[in-house]
Amino acid sequence: MTDTVISSASKEIVIGFDRPFVMIGERINPTGRKLLAEEMKNGDFSRVEADALSQVAAGAHMLDVNAGIPLADEPALLCEVIRLVQSVTDVPLSIDSSIIEALEAGIAAYEGKPLINSVTGELEVMERVLPLVAKSGAAVVAISNDETGISEDPDVRFEVAKRIVSVANDFGIPTADVIVDPLVMPIGAMGNAGQQVFRLVRRLREELGVNTTCGASNVSFGLPNRHAITGTFLAMAVGAGMTSAIMNPLHSEVKSAVMGADVLMGNDQNCANWISIHRDPDATPSGRGGRRNRRRGPTQETV
Amino acid sequence: MTDTVISSASKEIVIGFDRPFVMIGERINPTGRKLLAEEMKNGDFSRVEADALSQVAAGAHMLDVNAGIPLADEPALLCEVIRLVQSVTDVPLSIDSSIIEALEAGIAAYEGKPLINSVTGELEVMERVLPLVAKSGAAVVAISNDETGISEDPDVRFEVAKRIVSVANDFGIPTADVIVDPLVMPIGAMGNAGQQVFRLVRRLREELGVNTTCGASNVSFGLPNRHAITGTFLAMAVGAGMTSAIMNPLHSEVKSAVMGADVLMGNDQNCANWISIHRDPDATPSGRGGRRNRRRGPTQETV
């Protein structure tokens, strides 16, 4: 039983075993989104605001925020994004950058206890990021690669994760504040990518006792009907013990698979969230605003 | 590595570990289908034929056939259904009855090596069904309940399954010809039904070395958007090691989840089946008839 608590100024989210899966909205990220990158660079954050609101309305429990734009002032941009998103939503944030100065500035601008995304098993990266995490009392995403790259052997990736947790502990960060990302590769390019992750997630949970997360969309890269693959992957990952993911809750196949997996793991008490979103498709998973004027019964087989 | 071979006169299907999941079409069953029951009783098998063809077109690798209609001559009806279905399709069948005379008649009418559905762990049932299975060289579905009913403890259900396999072996039936049904309860009524099955399937595979199947639709009974729950359940069951299910391949969410799970387990070589059905929505999963005139690229994120 490992609970990772992340908070905003007014709201706590707990990522943990035997709890509903935590959906971390992936959209506020200019990587591969030319128009968004251009707008952000020009100080136009209207799309960031819209993406924050729409993801929360779709059920995101947290939002990942990234401002990595080439040749832009990433620390300043990231602060602006954090302040804006915290002014329009109350969900906790994952502060996403590979630049230490951006993480520092982002943490300073953030109200609450954020999730820092991310640290790797590279010694130099751990020595820069983990003191910052420890000092700010944040939680951190630990990506299971090191100086030698991403191993294709899930047991090697397990050892890398174990080492990051151990070093984090040395810096005074409790194990519960380290969320391991086992690294999800595109299944179209590597046929055993799914099995690797399922095996690794199970070991991380059972042997290392840590929560897990991943960038889910990557698994379906290059495949047709990719949201169905991403959703199916997430359901299977939940079955293997994964407790959160950075994902797109606006894709109905993905959201439905995650919420269905919560039902099937017994983590949606009395199927209340599942029933709630099907009473009112606009309701958020917590059931807020669940009007009952569109109640639907189960499908009946009659012929 | 346990391979269960089922055959028709001209076609073999292998249910096994690390192979594509075997979809057994559930539709040819008058239980809860008043109109079909009425028609079958009156000698009208047009809907049976249509159900056979549509399920195979949708990708069913096998078909379950059941003729259990109160006050009807079940052995005679079952024979008619089997002969008809074998005349219009080449997929192997699962002969489904709780009446020993119907199973006997069905086996006699069947061309190939059928799957007999089912035997339970009740001593009397085993002593009637297993000699028939042994004599005909068929495979059999073993349902993990006994005289005491269905245990809520998956470890008890494991012991029941183990006993059926042992008794089957005593009758000369190889373990590979026993496919265990762990019994799937409605998740809306029993919140731990999913976890129970996943745990049991894993043990059945790892410790008993048997293939598994289930009546998948039952899991979502009474819930809204139930096909999404059934599909998500099946994907998670595949992740836990399940190798076949009696299910409805006409429900796109269910079929998509199973085929996606094959991709994610690395059992759809080069994602060929997945890509094939998305090139041509009418193509069967084996890729037969996969025209390439509707090729679609992956979804691209552009803004």
Side-chain angles (χ1 to χ4, degrees), chain A residues 2-229:
Chain A
T2 300
D3 282 349
T4 307
V5 180
I6 317 284
S7 65
S8 64
S10 60
K11 194 171 193 171
E12 267 188 12
I13 288 289
V14 183
I15 299 173
F17 302 170
D18 308 317
R19 290 179 177 273
F21 192 79
V22 172
M23 298 192 267
I24 306 172
E26 73 179 11
R27 292 286 289 162
I28 303 176
N29 189 332
T31 314
R33 297 180 72 191
K34 272 191 190 176
L35 187 53
L36 176 65
E38 201 59 39
E39 288 172 355
M40 286 173 69
K41 222 163 138 179
N42 296 328
D44 173 4
F45 296 94
S46 53
R47 198 177 300 271
V48 170
E49 181 172 341
D51 282 343
L53 295 173
S54 62
Q55 290 182 101
V56 172
H61 305 99
M62 292 178 54
L63 297 175
D64 187 76
V65 292
N66 180 306
I69 301 167
L71 306 177
D73 180 354
E74 188 175 330
L77 274 182
L78 189 57
C79 287
E80 283 221 59
V81 169
I82 288 170
R83 287 199 194 98
L84 170 66
V85 173
Q86 289 212 294
S87 74
V88 296
T89 76
D90 63 356
V91 300
L93 304 186
S94 155
I95 301 177
D96 183 359
S97 177
S98 54
I99 312 266
I100 190 78
E101 293 76 17
L103 292 179
E104 260 173 352
I107 291 169
Y110 185 79
E111 288 189 71
K113 174 186 172 183
L115 179 62
I116 302 304
N117 187 8
S118 57
V119 68
T120 68
E122 295 159 281
L123 198 61
E124 198 194 335
V125 176
M126 288 196 287
E127 283 176 350
R128 275 184 299 145
V129 174
L130 293 178
L132 190 58
V133 172
K135 198 178 87 181
S136 59
V140 66
V141 174
I143 300 189
S144 51
N145 71 293
D146 63 12
E147 288 82 359
T148 64
I150 302 170
S151 173
E152 288 199 19
D153 180 346
D155 295 335
V156 171
R157 282 196 243 164
F158 177 83
E159 292 305 324
V160 173
K162 195 171 166 182
R163 189 161 63 110
I164 303 175
V165 171
S166 164
V167 176
N169 291 163
D170 291 343
F171 277 105
I173 301 164
T175 300
D177 279 339
V178 183
I179 301 180
V180 175
D181 179 343
L183 280 165
V184 175
M185 313 301 286
I187 192 80
M190 191 188 285
N192 60 349
Q195 291 253 34
Q196 277 185 357
V197 170
F198 305 144
R199 178 182 156 82
L200 189 44
V201 165
R202 199 169 287 125
R203 287 196 69 196
L204 288 166
R205 177 169 174 147
E206 290 171 5
E207 296 176 42
L208 207 52
V210 290
N211 282 305
T212 42
T213 198
C214 71
S217 305
N218 204 32
V219 75
S220 59
F221 181 79
L223 289 178
N225 194 10
R226 62 179 293 190
H227 306 323
I229 290 286

Side-chain angles (χ1 to χ4, degrees), chain B residues 137-289:
Chain B
V140 67
V141 175
I143 299 190
S144 51
N145 71 295
D146 62 12
E147 288 82 359
T148 64
I150 301 169
S151 172
E152 289 198 21
D153 180 346
D155 294 335
V156 171
R157 283 196 242 163
F158 178 83
E159 291 305 324
V160 173
K162 194 172 166 181
R163 189 161 62 111
I164 304 175
V165 171
S166 164
V167 176
N169 291 163
D170 291 344
F171 278 104
I173 301 164
T175 300
D177 279 340
V178 184
I179 301 180
V180 175
D181 180 344
L183 279 163
V184 175
M185 314 301 285
I187 192 81
M190 192 188 283
N192 61 349
Q195 291 253 32
Q196 278 184 359
V197 170
F198 304 143
R199 178 183 156 82
L200 190 43
V201 165
R202 200 168 285 126
R203 286 197 69 195
L204 288 165
R205 177 168 174 148
E206 289 171 6
E207 297 176 41
L208 207 52
V210 290
N211 281 305
T212 42
T213 198
C214 70
S217 304
N218 204 33
V219 74
S220 58
F221 181 79
L223 288 179
N225 194 10
R226 63 180 293 189
H227 306 323
I229 290 286
T230 304
T232 300
F233 164 75
L234 279 171
M236 296 170 84
V238 171
M242 192 174 273
T243 49
S244 71
I246 300 168
M247 52 175 275
N248 190 337
L250 298 170
H251 293 146
S252 59
E253 303 95 319
V254 179
K255 174 181 168 185
S256 173
V258 164
M259 296 190 65
D262 273 345
V263 169
L264 290 156
M265 293 300 278
N267 293 336
D268 178 1
Q269 282 289 321
N270 301 315
C271 310
N273 286 339
W274 182 262
I275 291 168
S276 156
I277 62 158
H278 292 96
R279 274 185 185 143
D280 176 358
D282 299 327
T284 56
S286 65
R288 289 190 301 278

